[in-house]
Amino acid sequence: MIWNENIECASRDSMSQLQTERLIRTVKRVYHDVPYYRKKMQEVGLVPEDIRTLDDLVKLPFTTKTDLRDNYPFGTFAVPMSEIVRIHASSGTTGRPTVVGYTRNDIAMWAENVTRSLCMAGVTKNDLVQVAYGYGLFTGGLGLHYGTENLGASVIPISGGNTQKQIQLLQDFGSTVICCTPSYVLHIAEVLEEMKIDASSLKLRVGIFGAEPWSENMRRDIEKKLKIKAIDIYGLSEVMGPGVSCECTHQAGMHINEDHFIPEIINPETLLPVEPGEVGELVFSTITKEGIPLLRYRTRDLTRLIYDKCECGRTLVRMEKCKGRSDDMLIIRGVNVFPSQIESVLLEMSETEPHYLIFVEREGNLDTVKVQVEVQEQFFSDEIKELQNLTKKIKYKLESTLGISVTVQLVEPKTIERSAGKAKRVIDNRKI
Ligand code: DLL
């Protein structure tokens, strides 16, 4: 089902017209209402009247996470606090979190976008949706919650963690949809196996997974273990939360809700737009948000845009599964390495589990990478020679994919810490 056909299947011309009108309005608003934006525009000699078409977007300065942090907590809000009905904040591994505020209209707009996403994933009002993203300052739980209610499906607001309880509700309530991080659902699958519960005895049919990068190989693994369709959902708190884009059942890229968010892809070094279809950093301008509108926000996520019409009939532009983040990219002895490449290799192996850690150290002037990965129970034999052979095999595959040398350490199943939210997979101990 398509939730809002007029928009989701609009012609490129009418979408561009709508985006242009909304962009012009947003630029005027922020110039007048947010001193931060006025100052930034004045610095490059821009007035709102300079922005007349979508092509003028590139004239606007970028906004970064640092800009939001410098104006912590509410400095970039565009409305008085009396209009703000909800506040969320991004986890932020270091320093201050990024704070976002929503007006009543923003909450309704967010719910609409998540409802569209659920419909893309094939969820209907007859579904029971177990929301296992964290509820709280993180946008995952409440974002999926409002979208599910708006669709008219039944929401089970269990939040993240408490895996035994998750499984009990999957069994007793017969949840048909689960929403959580891909790493957490793999943990649920693992506990199901330990409890000797056959996944096909559950009613689960769809999973809506996001909030962290995950590879195609991980998708296949989840689909096989849980016998469900695994759908990728994307979003970030600064721009709204989950539902900025989502895959449809064709699983061929995530449709961006372009009537609210204009995407651009730039080269993160030159900051210039890339050629259409090329990979680069995703940048969003919000064109309907009231609480905290963002102009040209640099997400740091790397992807590319697909403009062809999708088989589902939607014309909304699609973004490919995120390749990683420009700031997650590891530079190891001058070579660019993405954690997602390592994940892909590990998940192709039949002997390993999808649980791994990447350690980066600096010894003298040399960077070293160690990949720690769990081995499946049946392969974790006491025969040292076999384990040595497996280590060699993984090392060879990783090295030929990445073009750098790595050390591989096999560990026993279930020794790497599991997370109920976003998994932390890279431990970079270099002091640079
Ligand atoms: O993670 C919002 C969200 C919640 C999205 C639930 C999907 C599902 P933040 O905590 O602000 O917001 O983190 C945003 O997470 O810039 C990406 O780097 C990453 N991310 C989110 N979704 C995906 C995805 C939420 N599907 C940051 N694939 C983003 C890859 C993702 N990375």
Side-chain angles (χ1 to χ4, degrees):
M1 183 185 68
I2 298 181
W3 182 254
N4 189 338
E5 204 163 334
N6 270 348
I7 293 286
E8 294 176 69
C9 304
S11 68
R12 187 51 37 201
D13 276 356
S14 64
M15 179 58 76
S16 299
Q17 197 185 334
L18 181 67
Q19 288 180 324
T20 311
E21 284 162 19
R22 291 180 169 179
L23 174 67
I24 291 174
R25 212 183 318 145
T26 303
V27 171
K28 280 197 183 124
R29 262 197 61 223
V30 299
Y31 189 85
H32 291 113
D33 298 346
V34 190
Y36 158 79
Y37 277 114
R38 188 162 52 246
K39 186 162 161 269
K40 274 203 112 169
M41 283 175 65
Q42 281 168 347
E43 275 166 11
V44 292
L46 272 184
V47 287
E49 292 66 37
D50 293 329
I51 308 300
R52 284 184 230 105
T53 70
L54 290 181
D55 291 338
D56 294 328
L57 189 60
V58 294
K59 296 181 183 161
L60 290 163
F62 291 104
T63 309
T64 63
K65 208 178 185 79
T66 313
D67 293 323
L68 300 185
R69 288 204 176 126
D70 289 348
N71 290 282
Y72 176 85
F74 308 138
T76 46
F77 286 15
V79 295
M81 280 312 275
S82 55
E83 297 300 309
I84 296 287
V85 300
R86 175 106 62 84
I87 290 172
H88 280 285
S90 82
S91 38
T93 40
T94 51
R96 299 162 164 178
T98 325
V99 184
V100 282
Y102 303 73
T103 64
R104 202 172 290 284
N105 288 338
D106 290 339
I107 297 286
M109 175 280 265
W110 186 11
E112 148 96 17
N113 283 321
V114 176
T115 307
R116 286 186 199 171
S117 305
L118 291 165
C119 290
M120 287 178 198
V123 179
T124 75
K125 66 194 293 277
N126 300 322
D127 278 298
L128 261 76
V129 182
Q130 186 157 326
V131 179
Y133 285 113
Y135 280 62
L137 286 176
F138 176 55
T139 51
L142 284 163
L144 266 303
H145 183 107
Y146 274 59
T148 305
E149 278 191 359
N150 191 43
L151 171 64
S154 317
V155 62
I156 305 168
I158 183 166
S159 191
N162 203 344
T163 310
Q164 301 286 335
K165 185 99 184 179
Q166 301 279 358
I167 291 174
Q168 188 192 348
L169 299 198
L170 286 174
Q171 287 189 301
D172 297 353
F173 291 7
S175 315
T176 50
V177 179
I178 188 158
C179 311
C180 61
T181 57
S183 51
Y184 186 52
V185 86
L186 276 175
H187 180 52
I188 296 181
E190 184 174 66
V191 179
L192 276 171
E193 206 186 309
E194 269 168 35
M195 293 168 75
K196 308 228 171 345
I197 298 170
D198 180 0
S200 46
S201 69
L202 303 174
K203 298 236 169 68
L204 212 51
R205 59 178 200 87
V206 178
I208 309 218
F209 306 122
E212 64 186 10
W214 52 306
S215 58
E216 279 301 333
N217 284 337
M218 186 175 280
R219 185 204 312 265
R220 276 192 282 278
D221 199 38
I222 294 171
E223 292 193 328
K224 195 170 91 207
K225 286 186 171 142
L226 285 161
K227 306 189 173 51
I228 58 173
K229 195 155 193 124
I231 296 287
D232 198 354
I233 187 168
Y234 170 89
L236 58 168
S237 20
E238 295 88 332
V239 171
M240 178 181 80
V244 171
S245 67
C246 188
E247 280 179 343
C248 63
T249 49
H250 294 274
Q251 299 172 306
M254 295 175 273
H255 292 279
I256 298 177
N257 284 308
E258 282 180 276
D259 51 328
H260 299 284
F261 316 107
I262 305 181
E264 293 172 81
I265 305 282
I266 59 158
N267 176 323
E269 266 134 46
T270 62
L271 304 184
L272 295 172
V274 299
E275 292 298 320
E278 260 183 40
V279 173
E281 181 182 326
L282 182 61
V283 170
F284 277 117
S285 297
T286 70
I287 46 174
T288 53
K289 263 202 336 172
E290 296 177 341
I292 163 167
L294 287 181
L295 293 180
R296 303 194 84 202
Y297 184 72
R298 292 187 57 185
T299 65
R300 309 282 168 177
D301 294 317
L302 300 170
T303 183
R304 63 186 197 92
L305 296 180
I306 310 164
Y307 278 94
D308 314 336
K309 186 171 170 181
C310 181
E311 277 180 59
C312 70
R314 289 179 184 81
T315 49
L316 294 174
V317 66
R318 284 169 284 161
M319 55 183 266
E320 216 167 55
K321 232 174 181 337
C322 293
K323 208 175 141 54
R325 291 175 56 84
S326 60
D327 50 2
D328 269 0
M329 184 179 79
L330 297 163
I331 304 184
I332 312 288
R333 281 170 260 146
V335 178
N336 298 349
V337 173
F338 286 100
S340 60
Q341 294 174 290
I342 298 181
E343 177 178 302
S344 254
V345 170
L346 296 177
L347 278 143
E348 265 167 25
M349 316 278 310
S350 53
E351 301 92 338
T352 55
E353 293 285 348
H355 303 283
Y356 62 93
L357 281 175
I358 303 164
F359 293 89
V360 189
E361 311 279 346
R362 175 156 288 182
E363 286 163 19
N365 282 324
L366 210 61
D367 297 333
T368 59
V369 179
K370 181 176 79 181
V371 177
Q372 201 178 62
V373 61
E374 289 183 7
V375 180
Q376 280 180 17
E377 198 79 61
Q378 69 263 37
F379 294 101
F380 204 85
S381 62
D382 286 328
E383 189 76 57
I384 293 197
K385 201 149 169 260
E386 276 174 42
L387 288 177
Q388 277 174 342
N389 282 342
L390 180 56
T391 309
K392 266 199 214 145
K393 186 166 140 194
I394 299 175
K395 183 175 157 68
Y396 174 76
K397 285 209 169 183
L398 281 172
E399 291 183 346
S400 48
T401 306
L402 306 176
I404 53 162
S405 62
V406 293
T407 319
V408 173
Q409 184 187 20
L410 304 180
V411 294
E412 276 186 69
K414 306 196 179 100
T415 44
I416 292 174
E417 202 190 328
R418 305 292 188 255
S419 146
K422 298 184 194 243
K424 182 163 172 50
R425 306 206 194 268
V426 180
I427 299 167
D428 194 341
N429 290 324
R430 288 175 296 181
K431 309 256 177 308
I432 304 174

